[in-house]
Every structure is written in structure tokens, then in C-alpha cells.
Amino acid sequence: MVDETVNVRYMVDNVETAVEWYVGHLGFSLISKQAPAFADVRRGALRLLLSGPMSSAGRPMPDGEQPAPGGWNRIHLIVDDLASEVARLRARGVSFRNDVVTGPGGSQILLVDPAGNLIELFQPAR
């Protein structure tokens, strides 16, 4: 099955807060919202599914473990000018996990959404 859309699910504490954050800070657009359980937003070919504690994805596992936000997996967004994006987002009060790291492939930084999920901004080496 061929599909141009990449779907990623993030568990979030508050669907409304997550939608406002992704739309307001990272330029996603709203596809649908059934708060407080679920919403989905899009940026290019990425569809981000934002699932709150009341969603079906938030139900406990058979062993009782509760799905929760956070961890080290992350979406990876390519930007043209990392320094400008970092400055813009810092001015808006966005939280970062680290400072810019540069390697042979380019530069990157991790920011944190309101639920603790990571987003990597990456500028490829020129």
C-alpha cells in the first residue's frame, strides 16, 4: 500500500494544549479535533496523532502499564536556518532539552512539547 503520508502518534497530557503548541510554534495545521481524547495535525507529509489519556490509545495495557508521553523517540523536522528557528522559538518561551549540537551531517537541537515529547530540529550540513 503506497501512501505519501507518514503517521506518528504522540501521547499527550492535554489535547487542546498540544494542538495550540504544534500549530502555534511549529506551523502544523489542524486536521481534526475530538478533545479531550484526540486530535490530528499535519505538516507536509507528516500527520501527527495527538492522543490524550481518554483516547483508545491511552487505555492501560493488559499488564496495567499506562501509556504516557515522553521518551527519546522523536519526530525530526528539517529547517533551513536552525539559529533563526531556535531564536524565534526561545522568544516564544519554548523549552529546549539541549543546546545546538553540530556534527558532520549537520546541526540539531531538541525541543520539548507541553507533554514532554521531543522534537528534533535539524539543519543539514551545506
Side-chain angles (χ1 to χ4, degrees):
M1 184 154 93
V2 177
D3 191 348
E4 299 287 326
T5 301
V6 175
N7 297 290
V8 175
R9 182 182 309 279
Y10 268 180
M11 301 305 300
V12 297
D13 299 316
N14 183 300
V15 170
E16 293 282 358
T17 300
V19 167
E20 290 173 16
W21 194 88
Y22 280 95
V23 170
H25 293 306
L26 297 180
F28 281 76
S29 59
L30 180 65
I31 298 171
S32 69
K33 181 169 59 170
Q34 292 83 41
F38 173 83
D40 55 343
V41 294
R42 174 182 296 281
R43 178 178 161 161
L46 172 62
R47 177 176 168 241
L48 187 57
L49 298 92
L50 303 168
S51 297
M54 298 185 69
S55 69
S56 58
R59 292 181 187 151
M61 298 293 106
D63 67 0
E65 185 175 359
Q66 187 74 36
W72 288 99
N73 294 319
R74 56 195 180 248
I75 58 175
H76 174 98
L77 302 176
I78 296 174
V79 298
D80 292 327
D81 184 345
L82 185 60
S84 294
E85 278 298 297
V86 170
R88 181 184 72 82
L89 292 166
R90 281 201 170 122
R92 296 185 76 176
V94 171
S95 298
F96 288 84
R97 182 78 171 85
N98 64 339
D99 292 318
V100 173
V101 176
T102 301
S107 300
Q108 63 179 275
I109 192 167
L110 299 177
L111 51 142
V112 185
D113 81 3
N117 295 302
L118 296 176
I119 298 89
E120 178 180 324
L121 298 182
F122 180 79
Q123 180 182 339
R126 297 210 183 336

